[in-house]
Amino acid sequence: MSETTLSSLRSLMASHSPPLDALVVPSEDYHQSEYVSARDKRREFVSGFSGSAGLALITKNEARLWTDGRYFLQALQQLSDEWTLMRMGEDPLVEVWISDNLPEEANIGVDSWCVSIDTANRWWKSFAKKNQKLVTTTTDLVDEVWKTRPPSEMSPVVVHPLEFAGRSVSDKLEDLRSKLKQERARGLVIAALDEVAWLYNIRGTDVAYCPVVHAFAILTTNSAFLYVDKKKVSDEANAYFKGLGIEVREYTDVISDVSLLASDRLVSSFASKIGQPEGTKDMEIDVDQPDRLWVDPTSCCYALYSKLDADKVLLQPSPISLSKALKNPVELEGIKKAHVRDGAAVVQYLVWLDKQMQELYGASGYFLEAEANKKKPSETSKLTEVTVSDKLESLRAAKEHFRGLSFPTISSVGSNAAIIHYSPEPEACAEMDPDKIYLCDSGAQYLDGTTDITRTVHFGKPSAHEKECYTAVLKGHVALGNARFPKGTNGYTLDILARAPLWKYGLDYRHGTGHGVGSYLCVHEGPHQVSFRPSARNVPLQATMTVTDEPGYYEDGNFGIRLENVLVVNDAETEFNFGDKGYLQFEHITWAPYQVKLINLDQLTREEIDWLNTYHSNCKDILAPFMNQTEMEWLKKATEPVSVSA
């Protein structure tokens, strides 16, 4: 990003009607997505910061970037001197900073397609103190100065087969319509890409790592619409939608159709037969409130909301979000199988990497704890963070149903591992080092499930401090994974279990402990989470949800440690049932060993050692069918039972 970009934007701000005192450039696209396509990375284009979360603010003479704790180090490295980093959780929120630092009646511009209803309303409220105004720009000003903006993605809409989806579209539509009736609403606007994909059992490749299509949907009591670039819809896909009574309209028609929906004039050519069994009547809506429209304030953009009558909008979380998070039996079976194949790829990778580190770098290896007999590989044979992660991807790609990675692999050596969401670049990444910790957080998309796993290893002699930190992270990881808790418990309550062993030493980490995982969908999925963030209070954990268990510790400039498995929430059999609530527990579905060399075994309790031995034994048995003889010998050694010496 050059100085020219900022000066060009400031010129457009000055000539805008009304003139703008500031311009907000969010990270999100028109669907409030976490991961966006290349052409929607406007915040990255203006600031140079490539993390997935953040917000840029450009004023007449300042440029500031807000991001969260996962990205503080990365932002400091990527931002030029023109930019000031604002640390979320430590510095004032953007709306507070604007209210405090910009003049009375200042105009703050934003593209209303790229900001959610919730965020826009929060800003309005904050700006009102000084009569400052949120101005929705006529066009996206960034697009006007971004001369090399990538073109729109033109990948086809793919029907996701029932053998993987596990639930028919008709069944999902019927269930949603009953929820509309319960809430006395006549329609639902669906903006989140993974919700559209889940509801209509479709997938695509419009966004890297997330198998979604750029599309909106509208569902009413008797009609269903899909808004997508029609060039992406094949004859076969058209026939599929027609058979379901889903009317396909152009992506850009959504704004006019939301206006028609608001005035109850949105009509489908299939209206009489949508997704309802023959012989059933259209659902009747309670006459007291026939006119409400359901909109999710976190995923729907302000541009669409502005076309609705605010008094007739039901602003609450999309009913699809929770339905999608509760996996059906086919999805659960699929995600477990995907994790077995994925675990096999990770173990094959560790076997390969162990051998390479010993041969090329003179490392003592995965099992022995000794200083490296330092070798210097040739320029052509040296290993880097990128070349090794490419190897891991190739091992995954050989597995059944592989469709790509689920996020950019975090392959990080030494101090780079302290950058929580580090993403190595071929021209600027580190070489592998036998004397430093290596952290690898990776995942894949398979037709039957989405995976996410982190392992931290050392191929030389770890320091006593590194082992102490690894052991504390492992103890937290095990404590959360072994938890039993009453139904109705949320992830905010459970988060402390993963942190307590670290807190004992005065250590902590700046990210959440767990997120939901999609079923061949987004690797980060709500509405539930395990986190210190207050939003984790909103949704209790329920049986059939998936959630990650990923505590860590990061020492700036030195190393980073994270351990991550995906868990499934199951009903628990308990001796008693206080309050008749029922209880829940977790089931680990990720399979790859923990490095015993990094564990201080005398710091583990008997229960923790028993758990580790059982997990490792299961790991060996479950992955055995995928291993050749060499790999199996390595895996047997990596999963040998451990005990504390007397």
Side-chain angles (χ1 to χ4, degrees):
M1 201 286 305
S2 66
E3 193 173 339
T4 326
T5 305
L6 284 179
S7 53
S8 300
L9 279 172
R10 287 180 176 129
S11 297
L12 289 175
M13 287 160 57
S15 60
H16 191 274
S17 180
L20 302 176
D21 296 273
L23 178 69
V24 180
V25 184
S27 298
E28 291 76 17
D29 59 10
Y30 291 7
H31 306 268
Q32 310 310 303
S33 310
E34 177 186 17
Y35 292 109
V36 300
S37 67
R39 69 184 271 101
D40 290 320
K41 293 182 176 178
R42 298 177 179 90
R43 188 262 303 140
E44 180 178 337
F45 168 72
V46 300
S47 68
F49 166 65
S50 64
S52 67
L55 175 146
L57 178 73
I58 298 157
T59 69
K60 290 173 180 176
N61 48 23
E62 282 193 81
R64 290 174 179 259
L65 179 111
W66 276 256
T67 192
D68 63 46
R70 296 172 297 170
Y71 292 117
F72 292 169
L73 277 180
Q74 182 179 332
L76 284 171
Q77 289 176 0
Q78 292 183 327
L79 293 174
S80 72
D81 294 344
E82 299 167 288
W83 288 83
T84 303
L85 173 62
M86 302 295 282
R87 294 170 168 82
M88 291 163 82
E90 297 175 18
D91 293 320
L93 295 169
V94 67
E95 63 268 29
V96 174
W97 189 90
I98 287 171
S99 180
D100 289 348
N101 291 278
L102 292 186
E104 296 261 349
E105 299 185 1
N107 292 315
I108 297 95
V110 72
D111 180 349
S112 60
W113 284 93
C114 297
V115 65
S116 71
I117 303 165
D118 253 4
T119 301
N121 284 340
R122 195 176 74 240
W123 290 352
W124 273 113
K125 197 172 170 184
S126 185
F127 298 165
K129 295 169 199 159
K130 284 169 71 173
N131 289 322
Q132 295 168 334
K133 290 184 199 67
L134 185 64
V135 175
T136 56
T137 56
T138 41
T139 59
D140 194 300
L141 302 190
V142 175
D143 295 352
E144 292 192 41
V145 302
W146 191 358
K147 303 302 181 195
T148 56
R149 189 177 175 219
S152 296
E153 296 72 21
M154 272 303 141
S155 54
V157 173
V158 178
V159 176
H160 191 47
L162 196 58
E163 65 174 294
F164 298 118
R167 199 171 163 205
S168 72
V169 175
S170 300
D171 181 34
K172 292 175 182 180
L173 291 176
E174 197 178 338
D175 181 44
L176 264 185
R177 289 199 171 100
S178 69
K179 286 175 176 151
L180 283 176
K181 188 180 179 186
Q182 283 167 22
E183 296 292 344
R184 298 185 296 193
R186 62 179 173 84
L188 171 70
V189 178
I190 306 158
L193 298 180
D194 60 338
E195 293 188 9
V196 176
W198 179 87
L199 178 62
Y200 290 157
N201 284 348
I202 56 173
R203 299 293 189 269
T205 55
D206 282 355
V207 179
Y209 313 108
C210 304
V212 292
V213 183
H214 279 135
F216 291 95
I218 291 176
L219 181 73
T220 74
T221 49
N222 65 353
S223 61
F225 299 86
L226 174 69
Y227 299 87
V228 65
D229 187 325
K230 286 188 176 180
K231 291 196 281 293
K232 299 176 182 178
V233 185
S234 65
D235 291 345
E236 185 188 357
N238 254 322
Y240 166 79
F241 292 124
K242 193 173 181 182
L244 292 165
I246 297 166
E247 182 145 334
V248 179
R249 296 195 172 175
E250 282 291 351
Y251 183 78
T252 49
D253 288 344
V254 69
I255 190 89
S256 53
D257 276 13
V258 164
S259 295
L260 289 173
L261 180 68
S263 54
D264 205 9
R265 290 180 295 132
L266 181 61
V267 180
S268 165
S269 53
F270 302 115
S272 60
K273 57 175 190 275
I274 294 299
Q276 295 185 21
E278 284 186 36
T280 61
K281 294 179 182 174
D282 287 351
M283 291 199 171
E284 292 174 17
I285 300 296
D286 191 309
V287 289
D288 292 345
Q289 290 244 35
D291 218 17
R292 296 210 297 182
L293 295 170
W294 191 336
V295 176
D296 187 325
T298 61
S299 63
C300 184
C301 62
Y302 196 76
L304 292 180
Y305 176 67
S306 65
K307 299 296 177 187
L308 302 173
D309 179 346
D311 294 333
K312 294 178 179 178
V313 173
L314 172 65
L315 279 180
Q316 68 179 33
S318 163
I320 297 172
S321 183
L322 182 58
S323 296
K324 177 164 55 63
L326 298 170
K327 304 293 184 265
N328 64 54
V330 171
E331 289 174 320
L332 282 176
E333 178 74 9
I335 202 167
K336 287 178 185 179
K337 285 180 175 175
H339 275 82
V340 172
R341 297 193 303 276
D342 199 67
V346 170
V347 169
Q348 287 162 344
Y349 172 60
L350 289 173
V351 174
W352 171 84
L353 189 55
D354 185 18
K355 186 169 184 279
Q356 295 292 307
M357 292 302 290
Q358 290 182 58
E359 289 180 358
L360 295 173
Y361 290 89
S364 55
Y366 187 89
F367 301 107
L368 294 176
E369 204 172 330
E371 297 285 355
N373 174 22
K374 276 278 180 94
K375 288 186 191 174
K376 188 79 178 160
S378 68
E379 197 60 31
T380 51
S381 62
K382 74 174 186 179
L383 302 177
T384 70
E385 292 165 330
V386 169
T387 59
V388 296
S389 71
D390 287 348
K391 175 66 177 182
L392 174 55
E393 183 174 355
S394 73
L395 290 165
R396 282 191 161 111
K399 301 288 182 260
E400 187 184 19
H401 301 318
F402 177 81
R403 286 296 180 273
L405 300 181
S406 55
F407 57 96
T409 298
I410 300 169
S411 172
S412 50
V413 175
S415 60
N416 288 341
I419 302 170
I420 296 168
H421 270 214
Y422 174 75
S423 190
E425 299 293 338
E427 61 283 351
C429 65
E431 186 174 356
M432 296 297 286
D433 188 328
D435 294 323
K436 290 178 181 172
I437 271 183
Y438 172 66
L439 184 157
C440 185
D441 183 350
S442 64
Q445 294 288 3
Y446 301 92
L447 281 174
D448 51 354
T450 301
T451 68
D452 189 359
I453 173 175
T454 310
R455 288 295 182 266
T456 303
V457 294
H458 199 302
F459 294 103
K461 185 177 172 61
S463 70
H465 177 56
E466 286 169 336
K467 290 173 74 167
E468 201 164 69
C469 295
Y470 182 96
T471 307
V473 171
L474 177 65
K475 286 171 76 74
H477 175 75
V478 174
L480 177 60
N482 282 349
R484 279 189 176 180
F485 47 94
K487 290 181 178 177
T489 302
N490 59 45
Y492 186 84
T493 307
L494 296 176
D495 183 72
I496 188 175
L497 294 173
R499 293 179 195 273
L502 285 153
W503 287 353
K504 188 177 172 186
Y505 297 99
L507 305 178
D508 205 349
Y509 51 97
R510 285 194 180 100
H511 57 76
T513 303
H515 55 82
V517 178
S519 175
Y520 185 40
L521 267 177
C522 300
V523 73
H524 289 166
E525 181 177 88
H528 59 293
Q529 55 182 315
V530 178
S531 178
F532 58 90
R533 295 184 179 92
S535 54
R537 294 187 182 120
N538 298 345
V539 180
L541 296 178
Q542 296 180 43
T544 74
M545 283 178 168
T546 54
V547 68
T548 60
D549 170 3
E550 49 178 312
Y553 171 65
Y554 311 89
E555 201 162 280
D556 292 358
N558 289 329
F559 63 86
I561 295 162
R562 182 159 61 252
L563 296 172
E564 175 183 22
N565 284 1
V566 173
L567 315 173
V568 173
V569 185
N570 290 331
D571 287 308
E573 291 291 323
T574 51
E575 188 178 351
F576 304 103
N577 184 16
F578 183 81
D580 290 327
K581 283 183 172 180
Y583 279 72
L584 298 170
Q585 62 188 12
F586 293 118
E587 172 190 356
H588 287 259
I589 62 169
T590 299
W591 302 107
Y594 305 94
Q595 191 178 21
V596 173
K597 182 167 92 174
L598 271 169
I599 304 171
N600 267 347
L601 292 172
D602 54 2
Q603 286 180 14
L604 299 188
T605 64
R606 166 54 51 202
E607 187 185 11
E608 288 165 342
I609 283 179
D610 288 346
W611 181 87
L612 183 66
N613 286 336
T614 303
Y615 176 85
H616 275 168
S617 174
N618 290 337
C619 226
K620 180 185 65 181
D621 295 344
I622 287 166
L623 299 181
F626 295 87
M627 303 287 123
N628 65 28
Q629 190 179 345
T630 306
E631 291 160 353
M632 197 62 217
E633 283 171 12
W634 187 97
L635 182 58
K636 279 179 180 169
K637 196 170 180 184
T639 56
E640 280 174 358
V642 296
S643 58
V644 180
S645 52

